[in-house]
């Protein structure tokens, strides 16, 4: 690499998958002999390789029947809301605060139950990163079949994950029936988009799928741009009646993305002598600030049915990715000055590695209990290189906020060699896990545990103003994570559940008070909840109360002279969600979140105790309504949503708050079945409200996303 509305079969429950398979087989082979039909039906019945596998359990247990909090945004809902990114798809999910920095595009950033994450999973495997810096591969929403959001600690199945939970993007895989979708879109900020999604049979035993996308658009901030080209081919081969292999590739070139360049609080969060800055104000320079990324992923998924009750699934993915960022940051803006001091820096990053997950699943039944057993081992290994260069403000032009000029940098004259860091990072993680999903009449009991071995080595070479030095940081940590969950299902459709779960994250460094190497940061959750679903599935409700405690956090004195591992944060709250079809035409989805998060222990900075971390909205709510017209306007759909995000903190000491905001989104779609056409349109932030999305501190803030309009046309063949 150069530096620089149809659901697939596997997204259904096992019963639905088999039913759909039977129906499609009957239609496709209506002229075949009865013997051929019977053989095909038997193959589907005894081969549940396409059965739904939930992110919550890595089994076929449906989300509604899982004793944990999990949301599923399927392809139909993604299309309904015309969400073209993970961040946009998460806007109407309880417990999630998305788009904390909505004007950037280099990664998807969101909080789940108050805990920040940048990493997503793709088809059950983590998108490789080195857990720091800026190289986070993104899978475009157009190449995604569905999203599953698992809330709460999940290390007992997935190893290293933040305590809030994880988002898993389910890949688009080949289907038997021939389908082709071509999409074109245009919109505000110079949007131009073309997409192709085609699938079908290559032969009697092989199916294919090809997803391609090209998109160009100006960024929200002046002089910024985004550009993306994606190609994702895959082939599924039935090796025999019991074995299926899917080989896939994913290549994405992002020549232009928008890096995270903040604005000072003066002029954005606060009034200033130079008046309020426009929402499109950019603190970077068009000659310098940029981000480019290339990602290549090659993988396979092998599923073998040993017999009617036991199967083996193995998923492997190799990743080769690179990213080059050129960016700026600023120091404190004097109250009586318009000039914003800036430093220029770059990060040149690359990562090469693989991740693999092997699962043995089986069913053992007795007269009273069924045991769905899962034994698994996963492993990831990666090598990263990072080159960091920084002017530290030397000979770096300041920005006049009273007269914005984004054309000041002479790139050749920037002293980027003033400060240098070169990192070589090696990471290895191996996890062994086991799960027993027990069913006793209407009672479900879930027990699982996992042991992880995590090793990393970071060799750093530094140069500061010609002075050379270096260091090596090693992490060698082991951790056990467990989960116990139970649910009782009543005849009325109500379900009551509770769970206890754990997670961990590795920590580098040495305790300055004890001299001992840091241990992993850990978290535990206690959750109780209720779920309800009508027999026809037209109405569902979920409610959960949870307490998540993150312990062994590394804390430091304000001057960073001392560091120790005695910090603790507690997040507790309530999540409510309602999905209902009021009529055959009108559907409503509503949710609300009430969160109380605070630092409970920090012996080196007592001023933080009792304070709420930044980027955490303690109240949020949304409602979305869709109406499908009939008769004269048959095929027309209108949808609209209102989302409210409460106050967040302006800094870690809670010296001020970022105001709450309420936004309105709307979509329209018109199906023309006669021509297999669909016309679409969407508007986000319909009122073009100007608001602050978030602040890291009172000197670093980001405006919220401004209004955007998109129209598109889709043709199916």
């Amino acid at each position: 690499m150069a530096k620089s509305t149809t659901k697939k079969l596997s997204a259904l429950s096992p019963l639905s998958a088999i039913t759909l398979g039977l129906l499609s087989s009957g239609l496709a082979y209506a002229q075949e002999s009865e013997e051929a039909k019977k053989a095909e039906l038997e193959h589907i019945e005894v081969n549940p390789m396409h059965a739904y596998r939930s992110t919550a359990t890595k089994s076929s247990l449906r989300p509604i029947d899982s004793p944990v909090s999990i949301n599923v945004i399927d392809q139909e809902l993604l299309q309904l809301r015309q969400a073209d990114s993970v961040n946009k798809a998460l806007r109407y999910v309880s417990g999630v605060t998305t788009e904390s920095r909505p004007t950037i595009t280099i990664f998807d950033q969101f909080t789940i139950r108050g805990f920040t994450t940048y990493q997503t999973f793709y088809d059950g495997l983590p998108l490789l990163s080195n857990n720091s810096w800026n190289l986070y591969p993104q899978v475009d929403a157009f190449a995604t079949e569905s999203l599953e959001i698992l809330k709460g600690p999940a290390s007992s199945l997935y190893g290293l994950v933040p305590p809030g939970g994880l988002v898993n993007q389910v890949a688009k895989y080949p289907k038997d029936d021939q389908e082709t979708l071509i999409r074109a879109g245009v919109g505000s900020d110079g949007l131009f988009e073309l997409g192709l999604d085609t699938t079908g049979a290559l032969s009697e035993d092989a199916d294919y799928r090809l997803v391609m996308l090209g998109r160009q658009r100006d960024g929200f901030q002046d002089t910024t741009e985004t550009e993306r080209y994606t190609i994702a081919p895959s082939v599924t081969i039935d090796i025999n009646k019991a074995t299926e292999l899917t080989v896939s590739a994913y290549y994405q070139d992002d020549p232009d993305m928008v890096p995270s360049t903040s604005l000072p609080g003066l002029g954005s969060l606060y009034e200033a002598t130079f008046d309020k800055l426009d929402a499109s104000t950019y603190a970077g320079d068009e000659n310098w600030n940029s981000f480019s990324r290339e990602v290549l992923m090659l993988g396979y998924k092998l599923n073998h049915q040993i017999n009617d009750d036991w199967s083996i699934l193995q998923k492997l993915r190799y990743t080769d990715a690179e990213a080059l960022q050129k960016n700026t940051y600023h120091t404190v803006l004097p109250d009586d000055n318009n000039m914003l001091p800036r430093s220029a820096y770059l990060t040149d990053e690359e990562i090469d590695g693989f991740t693999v997950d092997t699962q043995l699943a089986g069913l053992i039944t007795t007269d009273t209990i069924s045991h769905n057993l899962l034994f698994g081992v996963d492993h990831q290994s990666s090598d990263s290189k990072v080159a960091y260069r920084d002017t530290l403000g030397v000979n770096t032009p300041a920005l006049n906020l009273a007269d914005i000029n984004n054309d000041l940098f002479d790139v050749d004259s920037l002293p980027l060699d003033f400060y240098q860091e070169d990192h070589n990072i090696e990471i290895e993680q191996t996890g062994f896990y086991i799960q027993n999903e027990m069913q006793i009449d209407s009672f479900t009991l879930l027990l699982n545990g996992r042991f992880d071995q995590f090793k990393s080595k970071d060799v750093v070479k530094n140069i500061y103003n010609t002075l050379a030095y270096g260091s090596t940081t090693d992490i060698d940590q082991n951790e056990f994570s467990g989960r116990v969950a139970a649910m009782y299902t009543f005849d009325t459709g109500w379900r009551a559940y509770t769970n206890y779960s754990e997670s961990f994250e590795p920590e580098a460094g040495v305790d300055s008070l004890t001299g001992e190497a840091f241990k992993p940061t850990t978290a535990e959750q206690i959750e109780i909840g209720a779920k309800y679903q009508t027999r026809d599935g037209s109405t569902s409700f979920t409610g959960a109360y949870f307490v998540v405690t993150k312990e062994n956090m590394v804390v430091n004195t304000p001057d960073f002279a001392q560091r120790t591992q005695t910090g603790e944060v507690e997040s507790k709250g309530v999540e409510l969600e309602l999905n209902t079809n009021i009529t055959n035409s009108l559907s409503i989805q509503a949710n609300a979140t009430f969160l109380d998060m605070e630092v409970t222990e920090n012996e080196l900075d007592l001023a933080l105790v009792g304070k709420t971390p930044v980027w955490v909205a303690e109240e949020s709510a949304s409602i979305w309504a869709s109406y499908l017209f009939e008769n004269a306007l048959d095929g027309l759909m209108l949808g609209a949503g209102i989302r409210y995000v409460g106050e967040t903190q302006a800094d870690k000491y809670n010296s001020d708050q970022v105001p709450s905001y309420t936004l309105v989104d709307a979509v329209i779609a018109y199906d023309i079945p006669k021509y297999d056409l669909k016309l679409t349109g969407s508007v986000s932030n319909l009122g073009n409200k100007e608001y602050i999305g978030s602040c890291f501190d009172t000197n670093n803030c980001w405006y919220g996303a401004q209004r955007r309009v998109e129209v598109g046309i889709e043709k199916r063949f």
Side-chain angles (χ1 to χ4, degrees):
M1 295 173 60
K3 284 195 175 181
S4 31
T5 63
T6 300
K7 302 178 185 176
K8 75 171 189 176
L9 195 57
S10 62
L12 301 173
S13 67
L15 180 59
S16 298
I18 294 171
T19 303
L20 183 57
L22 295 174
L23 291 174
S24 61
S25 298
L27 291 173
Y29 302 102
Q31 303 302 317
E32 291 187 355
S33 66
E34 290 297 319
E35 291 77 14
K37 289 182 185 178
K38 182 178 179 181
E40 178 66 12
L41 294 178
E42 289 176 348
H43 175 68
I44 293 174
E45 288 174 347
V46 301
N47 182 8
M49 291 185 289
H50 286 291
Y52 172 75
R53 293 179 183 267
S54 171
T55 299
T57 59
K58 292 188 177 180
S59 74
S60 60
L61 190 65
R62 299 185 307 161
I64 190 67
D65 296 322
S66 301
V68 296
S69 291
I70 180 169
N71 291 75
V72 178
I73 305 175
D74 60 15
Q75 183 62 213
E76 183 178 356
L77 195 55
L78 285 172
Q79 292 185 12
L80 184 67
R81 297 180 184 167
Q82 298 178 26
D84 59 4
S85 70
V86 172
N87 271 336
K88 290 175 79 171
L90 297 178
R91 285 173 174 173
Y92 291 86
V93 177
S94 69
V96 178
T97 302
T98 185
E99 299 174 302
S100 297
R101 291 184 275 183
T103 54
I104 72 171
T105 59
I106 64 173
F107 45 63
D108 298 302
Q109 178 190 354
F110 44 86
T111 67
I112 305 177
R113 294 186 169 175
F115 297 95
T116 301
T117 183
Y118 301 91
Q119 184 189 50
T120 58
F121 281 63
Y122 179 45
D123 220 36
L125 296 175
L127 290 169
L128 284 184
S129 73
N130 54 38
N131 305 316
S132 57
W133 299 97
N134 302 280
L135 178 50
Y136 290 92
Q138 285 178 298
V139 173
D140 197 272
F142 188 71
T144 301
E145 188 69 36
S146 62
L147 277 79
E148 300 195 350
I149 304 95
L150 175 59
K151 301 172 190 174
S155 290
S156 60
L157 277 182
Y158 294 97
L160 192 169
V161 288
L166 63 90
V167 173
N168 181 32
Q169 295 177 252
V170 179
K172 287 183 174 180
Y173 277 108
K175 296 190 288 188
D176 295 332
D177 294 335
Q178 180 68 45
E179 297 177 8
T180 297
L181 168 69
I182 298 177
R183 173 178 170 78
V186 296
S188 56
D189 298 317
L191 170 67
F192 181 73
E193 177 182 280
L194 283 175
L196 169 70
D197 182 2
T198 181
T199 186
L202 286 172
S203 66
E204 183 179 354
D205 298 319
D207 302 325
Y208 78 94
R209 191 155 193 170
L210 176 63
V211 179
M212 300 176 67
L213 175 75
R215 182 188 299 127
Q216 296 179 341
R217 184 171 218 163
D218 294 335
F220 287 107
Q221 299 158 308
D222 295 334
T223 76
T224 62
E225 296 179 347
T226 64
E227 188 175 357
R228 169 169 291 176
Y229 304 98
T230 298
I231 179 169
S234 57
V235 175
T236 296
I237 303 170
D238 289 333
I239 298 175
N240 53 50
K241 290 185 177 182
T243 308
E244 179 185 85
L245 173 67
T246 297
V247 180
S248 61
Y250 188 94
Y251 173 74
Q252 188 162 290
D253 181 17
D254 296 323
D256 285 301
M257 305 292 283
V258 182
S260 180
T261 309
S262 62
L263 291 170
L266 281 173
S268 58
L269 184 62
Y270 306 112
E271 295 285 351
T273 56
F274 47 83
D275 295 327
K276 204 78 177 285
L277 297 171
D278 291 336
S280 61
T281 300
Y282 193 44
D285 193 279
E286 64 179 319
N287 304 306
W288 176 251
N289 291 66
S290 61
F291 187 96
S292 60
R293 175 179 57 206
E294 275 187 282
V295 177
L296 173 66
M297 296 187 292
L298 305 173
Y300 69 80
K301 180 160 65 173
L302 179 65
N303 203 330
H304 176 68
Q305 196 72 25
I306 300 172
N307 54 39
D308 289 353
D309 296 326
W310 289 87
S311 65
I312 295 177
L313 170 66
Q314 184 177 76
K315 296 183 287 186
L316 180 144
R317 185 165 63 238
Y318 165 78
T319 300
D320 183 6
E322 298 181 348
L324 177 62
Q325 175 185 218
K326 299 177 180 179
N327 204 355
T328 57
Y329 64 91
H330 59 261
T331 53
V332 176
L333 177 70
D335 292 345
D336 57 350
N337 200 329
N338 299 336
M339 303 305 294
L340 183 68
R342 295 184 293 180
S343 296
Y345 72 95
L346 69 80
T347 57
D348 190 356
E349 308 172 52
E350 58 185 65
I351 188 170
D352 178 85
F354 74 94
T355 179
V356 58
D357 185 11
T358 305
Q359 305 168 21
L360 172 64
L363 176 66
I364 298 178
T365 59
T366 66
D367 292 339
T368 58
I369 305 175
S370 66
H371 300 265
N372 283 289
L373 300 175
L374 177 68
F375 304 90
V377 55
D378 63 30
H379 177 80
Q380 62 173 292
S381 177
S382 66
D383 295 318
S384 298
K385 293 183 179 179
V386 180
Y388 178 81
R389 304 292 183 264
D390 197 327
T391 66
L392 296 182
V394 177
N395 296 333
T396 309
L399 182 67
N400 185 352
L401 296 175
D403 184 18
I404 301 292
N405 184 351
N406 298 118
D407 185 15
L408 296 176
F409 281 20
D410 178 4
V411 174
D412 294 334
S413 67
L414 292 174
L416 291 166
D417 59 351
F418 188 81
Y419 178 73
Q420 305 176 47
E421 285 183 28
D422 288 284
H423 294 255
N424 282 287
I425 305 170
E426 299 176 358
I427 294 177
E428 282 195 8
Q429 178 184 358
T430 303
F432 305 88
Y433 58 92
I434 184 172
Q435 178 176 271
N436 188 357
E437 178 187 308
M438 291 174 278
Q439 192 72 39
I440 310 169
D441 293 328
S442 298
F443 181 72
T444 302
L445 178 63
L446 190 67
L447 303 174
N448 71 280
R450 174 179 169 125
F451 179 76
D452 275 281
Q453 299 173 317
F454 181 91
K455 295 182 180 181
S456 74
K457 185 176 184 178
D458 185 0
V459 179
V460 190
K461 297 180 180 179
N462 306 73
I463 297 178
Y464 173 73
N465 195 16
T466 72
L467 176 64
Y469 57 99
S471 64
T472 299
T473 301
D474 289 298
I475 301 178
D476 188 352
Q477 298 173 352
N478 302 328
E479 189 66 28
F480 176 83
S481 306
R483 179 173 64 177
V484 180
M487 171 180 281
Y488 188 84
T489 301
F490 298 88
D491 294 338
T492 58
W494 282 95
R495 298 157 172 85
Y497 74 90
T498 184
N499 66 66
Y500 169 84
S501 56
E502 298 174 327
S503 70
F504 83 98
E505 297 169 278
E507 283 289 352
V510 175
D511 194 311
S512 62
L513 300 183
T514 66
E516 297 179 354
F518 287 138
K519 301 176 182 178
T521 294
T522 59
E524 58 184 25
Q525 172 186 268
I526 297 175
E527 178 180 3
I528 58 174
K531 301 182 181 184
Y532 172 76
Q533 182 172 280
T534 55
R535 293 186 182 276
D536 61 1
S538 62
T539 297
S540 64
F541 168 82
T542 61
Y545 171 77
F546 59 87
V547 179
V548 183
T549 305
K550 186 176 181 179
E551 303 167 314
N552 297 330
M553 296 176 62
V554 175
V555 296
N556 51 262
T557 53
D559 60 2
F560 293 92
Q562 294 183 357
R563 302 178 74 220
T564 190
Q565 197 173 18
T566 56
E568 183 179 283
V569 172
E570 182 182 80
S571 174
K572 55 186 177 181
V574 174
E575 297 166 351
L576 304 172
E577 291 197 5
L578 173 67
N579 297 276
T580 183
N581 296 329
I582 296 179
T583 67
N584 290 334
S585 298
L586 178 62
S587 64
I588 291 178
Q589 298 89 39
N591 74 75
T593 304
F594 306 93
L595 189 64
D596 181 10
M597 188 174 188
E598 65 177 34
V599 176
T600 49
E601 292 184 17
N602 189 329
E603 66 180 56
L604 296 186
D605 194 349
L606 295 177
L608 287 174
V609 177
K611 301 300 189 294
T612 300
V614 297
W615 291 334
V616 176
E618 296 194 333
E619 296 178 351
S620 61
S622 68
I623 184 169
W624 182 277
S626 301
Y627 189 85
L628 182 63
F629 288 82
E630 299 177 346
N631 301 323
L633 296 176
D634 188 25
L636 178 65
M637 187 277 296
L638 296 178
I642 302 174
R643 46 193 168 102
Y644 166 81
V645 178
E647 292 181 346
T648 58
Q649 299 302 320
D651 61 20
K652 63 181 180 180
Y653 292 107
N654 298 182
S655 64
D656 207 345
Q657 287 76 43
V658 177
S660 62
Y661 56 89
T662 302
L663 305 176
V664 178
D665 307 312
V667 300
I668 184 172
Y670 184 55
D671 265 317
I672 311 175
K674 181 178 179 180
Y675 302 104
D676 291 321
L677 283 176
K678 177 189 278 189
L679 307 178
T680 65
S682 66
V683 185
S684 58
N685 190 3
L686 180 64
N688 202 25
K689 182 179 180 63
E690 185 176 295
Y691 64 101
I692 301 297
S694 66
C695 294
F696 179 75
D697 54 38
T698 54
N699 194 45
N700 291 275
C701 298
W702 292 264
Y703 271 108
Q706 302 154 59
R707 178 170 57 207
R708 274 188 165 169
V709 180
E710 302 175 13
V711 295
I713 182 171
E714 297 178 358
K715 171 66 176 176
R716 293 187 179 272
F717 299 92

